Amino acid sequence: MKISYNWLKQYLKVDSSAEDTAVILTDLGLEVEGVELYESVKGGLKGVVVGHVLECVKHPNADKLKITKVDVGSEAPLQIVCGAPNVAEGQKVPVATIGTVLYDKEGNAFQIKKGKIRGEESYGMICAEDELGLGNSHEGIMVLDDKYAVGTPCSEVFEVVTDEVFEIGLTPNRADAMSHYGVARDLRAGLMQKGTHLELISPSVTKFHVDNRSLKIDIEVSNRKLVPRYTGVTISNVRVGESPAWLQHRLRAIGITPKNNVVDATNYVLHGLGQPLHAFDADHIIGRKIVVKNAQAGTKFKTLDGVERTLDAEDIMICDAEKPLCIAGVLGGENSGVTDFTRNVFLESAYFDPVAVRKTAKRHAINTDASYRFERGINIEECKFALMYAAVLIENIAGGVISSDVIDFYPKKYEDFQVFLAFENVDKLIGQKIPRDTIKSILHSLDIKVNSVTERGLGLLIPTYRVDVQREADVIEEILRIYGYNNITFSEKINATMSHSSKYDDLNMQNVVATQLIGQGYYEIMTNSLVSEKEITTYTTHPETAVKLLNPLSADLGYMRKNLVFSGLEVIAYNINRKRTDLKLFEFGKNYHFNNGKYSESKHLALYLTGNAQPEYWGAPAQKVTFYELKGVVERILERVGIQGVTMLPLPEGACSFGQEGLRLQVGDTALGGIGIIKPSVLKDFGIKQEVFFADLQWEAILQLAQGHKVVYKEIAKYPEVRRDLALLIDEQISFAQIHQLAFQTEKSLLKSVNLFDVYQGDKLPKGKKSYAVSFILQDENKTLTDKQIEKTMTHLQTAFKEQLGAELR
């Protein structure tokens, strides 16, 4: 939410800097995420001054150029080459001096520099209005009134408006602060706590009066529960056109493009007071009657954005005697709004049920400034006041006369909510005793009335605009918010109770595995569970099993993901685009499916590896990560949680829609997931030009298998181990796994480990052969091995390799 500081000062005469005010607002819970500078003319015309053309002669080397001498108030006149046809001696003109930064129509900056034009030096630029951002004309330079003194900054001549705009990250519950007046009200309370007492200036409606009663529009509300208040008034003979400059600047500062004076007035009240309004062309209201009712299901209705929508029976509609005009609280109809030809206006201000508006907005995928406020709850007591204020504003800037009494449908008045505040609970929740007078002062600053006082606490009346304060705990939160979280002292000790949890519960296991991965250089990521339809249909098999959202936030977030991998690829692409190419990432997340009429979800652990194995440095050449590095990481994870007997089999061709090759993991009949390489075609779609290895592990299966794991330990051996190496010449189709398995089948007592440390294939070997360099670790836990035992064991191994695998020593 954007809040203009100039606009805020209309309601509260604050004299502190924007930075200081931003700190106070953040402390109040209205977190200021940034402060931006708004300038009605980009650059603020800094460096542009009024100049006086003392001399103007023809350029000796160009027919269309002139050489001028311009007095800008400096020690000596400036020589400026100018190509404008209307430049002449004696004029007062805007001059951009050396170093001035101007902006073109696209907002691109260019700096004025000393230069030579056709051999003649030029020390500035005499400007046209489009070059200064003051208009679109480029027919010639601007000629200023003679009354301006030489050297006067043009920012004063053209009254450049500057403003500072707060970007506030407002939480959804703070409906009361969704306006400049609401923020000012909160700021006043915060300043009062700091000892600064300022008056909150409310807009005045004293000038509202009915000029005649020539244009009456009747109002009929059929659903009083969903529309508890509806007000309206008519204004005749308006002149629709551009809004005055001050109003345009107010709206532009907060990112709203002005449309016309009537619509701008409604937007001004919306963002000023927080009350959405809608202006109808009264001449298009058939029967001079407004009917507020539920829509007829299936009715087609074209909204202001030109989209034809199918209405639902739960949608609240603003209709005339024959047709719907507007989706209440959300968006107007195509032909109901104010145009350049509008002469008579019906102005609406109402309160619509927040839940109903929210459902309608989500159903039709519409998000407007009005629906944003209605669905969170506005101040029902302000409907009529805002209507009158807007009517007076329209009268002032668009002419016209108020041509009806204010019709106010409000059959059951909303009462202030009552809460009892116990002092004991205040102290308990805050953890510190706040003086009772301070509590009363804070409540007063928040417009919360103290209805009764006892020794135990206070009976309170909560104003209707505070829709988020309904319980005692809410009031205590408000007290603490204004008192200041920073003013609460912290204890130097922490009290905690011990809790018992299973070693194998989900969270504990996640922490164990995450800690191990972090220790290996991996970073945890968290991605969105919502994905686009393209991801579902392009990259996954059986798209019909995907879970589709009924009310998606946008077209790009219409489905629940079926796989974590594509979310991970988006993260990888994002990092690579920012020159972070060496990545080790992991994520715990859920996948979602719809099978046989049932929804299901499953938790997975995804790992990603890409780029170089280690940062580049002079001592060793860069080395790319490999599939086997990720395979080793997965093996260590399974080993860490105590899962043994894992079988790794080649991934069948076509089994994975996004992986080109890899391994699938299982223990017995239980599938644990897989490890693989992302297909280049998929990587190309994500803009990734380097190999990406992935692992997708079924976390729930891992949890289940880990349940029976017991910690096994043994003493460190007292006797030394011995290593022996063999260079084996074997057939190409023999794998290391076969050698590994056969070695342990042959020698079960002394052999501790087998490792492959070199592979060679080349012209020096017979065709169809390869060489494996294999190491064997031998150890006797009861005594030191003798040379005879070692030789005997190695002979047995060599014989087994030769007889069963056809291996020979090189």
Side-chain angles (χ1 to χ4, degrees):
M1 180 180 71
K2 293 182 182 294
I3 293 294
S4 155
Y5 201 22
N6 289 347
W7 197 341
L8 189 69
K9 290 177 181 177
Q10 285 184 207
Y11 306 119
L12 199 69
K13 299 298 183 183
V14 187
D15 57 7
S16 57
S17 68
E19 290 72 19
D20 291 342
T21 301
V23 172
I24 297 172
L25 289 174
T26 300
D27 288 344
L28 290 170
L30 305 179
E31 183 181 359
V32 178
E33 298 173 345
V35 181
E36 298 177 356
L37 176 66
Y38 166 78
E39 297 170 318
S40 58
V41 178
K42 192 169 185 180
L45 300 181
K46 295 181 181 68
V48 183
V49 298
V50 175
H52 183 208
V53 182
L54 304 176
E55 182 181 317
C56 181
V57 297
K58 185 177 178 299
H59 194 294
N61 302 318
D63 293 337
K64 295 185 178 180
L65 298 179
K66 295 176 183 177
I67 300 174
T68 65
K69 289 280 197 295
V70 184
D71 179 13
V72 294
S74 56
E75 293 181 359
L78 302 179
Q79 177 171 295
I80 299 175
V81 178
C82 181
N86 64 327
V87 64
E89 183 179 321
Q91 292 173 333
K92 293 286 183 68
V93 293
V95 178
T97 55
I98 300 298
T100 298
V101 177
L102 300 178
Y103 296 84
D104 61 20
K105 293 179 180 178
E106 287 72 38
N108 301 314
F110 62 94
Q111 189 176 41
I112 305 301
K113 299 178 181 179
K114 172 187 173 182
K116 274 192 175 183
I117 302 176
R118 293 292 186 92
E120 297 292 333
E121 292 185 335
S122 183
Y123 294 89
M125 183 173 78
I126 305 174
C127 302
E129 67 174 38
D130 65 332
E131 292 166 333
L132 296 177
L134 297 171
N136 298 316
S137 174
H138 195 71
E139 294 179 357
I141 60 167
M142 295 186 73
V143 180
L144 306 178
D145 197 300
D146 280 338
K147 68 180 181 180
Y148 296 113
V150 169
T152 302
C154 282
S155 59
E156 299 176 10
V157 173
F158 297 105
E159 297 182 356
V160 174
V161 176
T162 61
D163 197 356
E164 290 163 301
V165 181
F166 302 113
E167 181 67 46
I168 296 179
L170 197 65
T171 53
N173 64 308
R174 291 302 308 277
D176 64 293
M178 292 179 185
S179 66
H180 285 75
Y181 188 79
V183 172
R185 186 167 49 203
D186 236 30
L187 180 58
R188 178 196 62 167
L191 290 172
M192 285 179 64
Q193 179 60 26
K194 295 179 180 294
T196 302
H197 295 264
L198 297 177
E199 181 185 357
L200 187 63
I201 304 170
S202 299
S204 173
V205 294
T206 56
K207 293 184 179 180
F208 178 88
H209 67 278
V210 179
D211 297 290
N212 60 60
R213 292 173 175 80
S214 61
L215 183 59
K216 183 182 177 183
I217 303 290
D218 292 324
I219 294 174
E220 177 185 322
V221 178
S222 62
N223 192 330
R224 299 185 176 190
K225 181 180 179 181
L226 299 184
V227 189
R229 190 172 193 182
Y230 191 96
T231 65
V233 72
T234 60
I235 308 169
S236 301
N237 300 320
V238 298
R239 296 181 299 278
V240 178
E242 278 194 358
S243 296
W246 69 266
L247 178 52
Q248 293 193 43
H249 291 318
R250 284 284 185 267
L251 297 179
R252 284 198 173 100
I254 60 173
I256 296 175
T257 303
K259 293 180 175 61
N260 59 58
N261 44 18
V262 175
V263 174
D264 292 349
T266 61
N267 278 329
Y268 182 75
V269 175
L270 165 65
H271 292 278
L273 301 181
Q275 172 66 48
L277 304 167
H278 189 70
F280 296 86
D281 188 324
D283 294 329
H284 290 174
I285 300 176
I286 297 175
R288 289 197 175 185
K289 183 177 185 180
I290 288 291
V291 181
V292 187
K293 62 182 181 180
N294 288 84
Q296 186 175 350
T299 302
K300 302 296 182 182
F301 181 69
K302 186 174 285 189
T303 46
L304 277 172
D305 54 6
V307 177
E308 186 175 74
R309 306 177 189 277
T310 301
L311 300 179
D312 187 272
E314 292 186 358
D315 295 335
I316 309 170
M317 301 299 296
I318 311 299
C319 309
D320 61 17
E322 295 182 0
K323 64 184 183 301
L325 301 173
C326 176
I327 303 178
V330 179
L331 191 61
E334 186 178 44
N335 299 314
S336 69
V338 172
T339 69
D340 293 343
F341 305 102
T342 298
R343 292 295 172 264
N344 302 310
V345 171
F346 172 72
L347 194 61
E348 160 201 284
S349 177
Y351 180 96
F352 302 113
D353 179 70
V355 174
V357 173
R358 182 163 58 249
K359 287 183 177 180
T360 295
K362 296 298 182 187
R363 185 181 302 116
H364 296 292
I366 303 173
N367 184 26
T368 61
D369 286 334
S371 67
Y372 182 79
R373 286 159 176 79
F374 275 126
E375 64 189 37
R376 286 161 175 80
I378 62 169
N379 182 11
I380 193 170
E381 292 299 317
E382 200 166 61
C383 290
K384 183 177 179 180
F385 176 85
L387 180 79
M388 297 167 65
Y389 180 56
V392 171
L393 181 59
I394 292 172
E395 264 194 313
N396 290 337
I397 65 176
V401 293
I402 296 176
S403 300
S404 73
D405 293 310
V406 173
I407 301 177
D408 186 5
F409 173 83
Y410 192 17
K412 185 177 180 181
K413 181 177 174 59
Y414 275 38
E415 300 294 337
D416 290 343
F417 195 79
Q418 296 187 31
V419 171
F420 181 78
L421 178 69
F423 292 134
E424 179 184 2
N425 292 335
V426 176
D427 300 339
K428 184 185 298 183
L429 283 181
I430 293 179
Q432 179 175 315
K433 189 170 183 177
I434 296 177
R436 304 320 185 207
D437 288 342
T438 301
I439 292 175
K440 294 176 184 178
S441 173
I442 291 173
L443 294 173
H444 173 72
S445 70
L446 292 170
D447 296 335
I448 297 176
K449 298 177 182 177
V450 177
N451 197 36
S452 62
V453 180
T454 68
E455 290 185 1
R456 289 183 55 246
L458 306 172
L460 305 176
L461 292 177
I462 312 299
T464 55
Y465 67 80
R466 288 311 304 267
V467 295
D468 62 318
V469 181
Q470 302 292 305
R471 305 168 302 163
E472 182 186 38
D474 299 329
V475 177
I476 297 173
E477 181 185 4
E478 289 299 293
I479 294 170
L480 178 57
R481 185 172 66 84
I482 303 302
Y483 183 75
Y485 294 98
N486 296 334
N487 294 324
I488 303 300
T489 57
F490 291 90
S491 172
E492 295 183 355
K493 62 180 182 179
I494 297 177
N495 298 322
T497 55
M498 300 296 292
S499 62
H500 173 75
S501 63
S502 169
K503 174 183 174 183
Y504 301 103
D505 69 30
D506 189 354
L507 185 58
N508 277 348
M509 289 282 283
Q510 273 189 227
N511 288 336
V512 167
V513 173
T515 301
Q516 178 170 324
L517 288 170
I518 291 168
Q520 294 175 276
Y522 280 74
Y523 288 89
E524 185 171 9
I525 61 175
M526 297 177 67
T527 58
N528 200 338
S529 298
L530 304 178
V531 297
S532 66
E533 182 177 6
K534 178 185 176 182
E535 178 176 312
I536 296 296
T537 57
T538 305
Y539 303 121
T540 63
T541 56
H542 305 293
E544 70 279 1
T545 63
V547 177
K548 185 176 182 181
L549 300 184
L550 296 177
N551 297 309
L553 296 173
S554 69
D556 291 334
L557 301 173
Y559 287 80
M560 302 295 287
R561 67 184 172 199
K562 291 182 64 180
N563 197 296
L564 272 68
V565 170
F566 304 109
S567 301
L569 290 178
E570 289 178 356
V571 175
I572 290 171
Y574 182 89
N575 279 271
I576 289 175
N577 289 338
R578 286 153 183 80
K579 308 303 180 184
R580 307 289 292 183
T581 57
D582 304 335
L583 301 170
K584 295 180 178 181
L585 308 172
F586 73 95
E587 177 179 16
F588 291 96
K590 290 184 178 181
N591 296 336
Y592 305 86
H593 301 286
F594 178 71
N595 287 312
N596 301 320
K598 294 182 178 180
Y599 295 99
S600 63
E601 60 183 51
S602 58
K603 194 167 188 175
H604 288 243
L605 167 60
L607 297 96
Y608 312 92
L609 188 61
T610 185
N612 291 326
Q614 58 185 2
E616 183 180 16
Y617 78 109
W618 63 270
Q623 186 175 356
K624 299 291 184 184
V625 295
T626 67
F627 172 85
Y628 298 100
E629 182 177 343
L630 184 59
K631 175 175 173 287
V633 171
V634 172
E635 288 174 337
R636 286 190 287 274
I637 290 173
L638 299 178
E639 181 182 349
R640 177 67 181 83
V641 299
I643 297 178
Q644 299 176 345
V646 179
T647 304
M648 297 190 179
L649 302 172
L651 197 65
E653 187 175 351
C656 181
S657 60
F658 51 84
Q660 63 178 2
E661 57 182 299
L663 298 173
R664 56 189 175 91
L665 286 60
Q666 61 185 59
V667 176
D669 294 331
T670 303
L672 295 182
I675 314 169
I677 308 172
I678 301 294
K679 289 179 179 178
S681 58
V682 175
L683 294 178
K684 184 178 179 181
D685 287 348
F686 285 85
I688 301 172
K689 298 179 181 179
Q690 59 191 57
E691 269 191 323
V692 176
F693 305 100
F694 77 94
D696 184 6
L697 305 179
Q698 297 184 27
W699 184 249
E700 290 161 353
I702 291 174
L703 279 178
Q704 187 65 33
L705 290 172
Q707 293 301 318
H709 170 58
K710 294 183 178 180
V711 176
V712 178
Y713 71 94
K714 60 181 179 180
E715 293 183 6
I716 298 175
K718 299 178 181 179
Y719 301 99
E721 61 183 29
V722 175
R723 169 174 168 159
R724 289 292 184 268
D725 298 341
L726 295 178
L728 301 176
L729 185 67
I730 56 178
D731 292 337
E732 285 182 335
Q733 66 270 22
I734 300 298
S735 67
F736 172 67
Q738 292 174 276
I739 296 174
H740 188 278
Q741 184 178 9
L742 181 57
F744 280 100
Q745 288 175 353
T746 305
E747 178 53 59
K748 298 180 179 179
S749 60
L750 300 181
L751 185 62
K752 301 303 178 184
S753 68
V754 181
N755 180 51
L756 176 65
F757 63 89
D758 190 31
V759 179
Y760 174 73
Q761 288 178 283
D763 297 338
K764 296 180 181 180
L765 298 181
K767 187 177 181 180
K769 297 288 185 177
K770 62 183 177 182
S771 175
Y772 273 1
V774 184
S775 66
F776 301 87
I777 303 297
L778 306 176
Q779 187 181 45
D780 190 328
E781 296 178 1
N782 299 312
K783 60 184 178 180
T784 302
L785 287 172
T786 64
D787 289 342
K788 186 176 180 179
Q789 286 177 299
I790 296 168
E791 292 302 324
K792 181 180 178 182
T793 300
M794 295 307 298
T795 299
H796 285 166
L797 291 173
Q798 293 174 38
T799 301
F801 294 151
K802 182 175 181 179
E803 291 177 354
Q804 298 190 42
L805 301 178
E808 298 178 3
L809 290 181
R810 285 189 64 197

